[in-house]
Amino acid sequence: MVVCFLIHTVCPVNALSAGESRILYSRLFGPEEPTLLHRTAEQQRLAQKETLGLVARQVRSAVTASREASGRVFVEAGLGEEATALSEAEYGVLSLAHREPFAGHCAALWLGVQALAFTLVCQPHENLLLAEATLRNLTRHCLEELRLLGPGSEVLLKSDRVDALLQRFLPHGQLLFLNHRFALAMDKEISSYMGK
């Protein structure tokens, strides 16, 4: 099962210090942890925010290290260049230790596209190849349908559309095996929904 999905920044943003990352979208799946059940709603929200911030910082560090190691020059892509940006994206897997930050051992799959990172946190028994394919599919749809690489793009204002994508690709946090025909049908369905 997928524990959470994040879209966050990996490059410096004017309002943030150099080592921080801004979470633009997050979605948690599954039951709440037993340690959070005895807290107030505000305490739960702050604990979740801190947990997701920790994951975002770890992914930001991994993306930065990957970019420095590859030695490639960072060139910003514009609208219409989403496929190129996605093909040149850095990707990787992080192992999140027990209780850091989720209840059990988890794996975080990340995809760094331009100034954004898309992250799926999965339980350790999940099929990581299927999770990577799902992450790439989600990222492709987010970039193409929501125009996230364009100037002034605000994913915060388009969260309902990201929710709709997650509902189709990760219903209740479950990874789906997609054959080619079903994937094409889903692409058409998503395109018609996003066109509204």
Side-chain angles (χ1 to χ4, degrees), residues 4-188:
C4 75
F5 173 73
L6 296 172
I7 301 174
H8 55 94
T9 60
V10 291
C11 290
V13 178
N14 295 341
L16 301 175
S17 68
E20 290 187 51
S21 182
R22 174 175 285 165
I23 296 175
L24 303 174
Y25 177 87
S26 65
R27 171 102 180 258
L28 292 167
F29 298 99
E32 294 190 13
E33 294 180 27
T35 58
L36 295 178
L37 293 178
H38 303 294
R39 297 182 180 179
T40 65
E42 182 65 20
Q43 289 173 331
Q44 286 179 353
R45 188 186 69 75
L46 289 174
Q48 288 175 349
K49 183 178 177 181
E50 188 173 318
T51 297
L52 297 175
L54 177 62
V55 172
R57 285 190 300 275
Q58 289 177 345
V59 168
R60 183 187 185 285
S61 297
V63 171
T64 303
S66 174
R67 287 181 177 171
E68 287 175 0
S70 70
R72 286 190 288 168
V73 178
F74 179 69
V75 179
E76 284 204 31
L79 288 176
E81 298 176 352
E82 290 88 1
T84 305
L86 187 58
S87 68
E88 295 175 353
E90 292 86 7
Y91 60 93
V93 178
L94 287 174
S95 178
L96 303 175
H98 184 68
R99 292 265 177 226
E100 285 189 16
F102 298 103
H105 179 78
C106 292
L109 287 86
W110 56 266
L111 193 61
V113 182
Q114 303 292 316
L116 298 175
F118 297 81
T119 305
L120 267 183
V121 178
C122 302
Q123 293 177 340
H125 64 275
E126 284 295 339
N127 181 336
L128 293 182
L129 290 175
L130 179 60
E132 181 186 354
T134 302
L135 179 60
R136 285 189 178 279
N137 223 353
L138 278 169
T139 302
R140 179 176 60 86
H141 281 288
C142 283
L143 293 175
E144 290 175 356
E145 305 293 342
L146 305 179
R147 307 285 185 211
L148 295 182
L149 296 182
S153 174
E154 280 296 324
V155 70
L156 301 173
L157 300 175
K158 301 172 183 177
S159 64
D160 59 328
R161 293 179 181 227
V162 178
D163 284 336
L165 286 172
L166 288 175
Q167 184 60 33
R168 284 169 176 79
F169 286 108
L170 290 170
H172 307 291
Q174 296 295 319
L175 292 170
L176 300 176
F177 286 98
L178 303 177
N179 65 20
H180 183 68
R181 208 176 272 179
F182 185 73
L184 287 175
M186 192 176 284
D187 285 348
K188 287 180 184 177

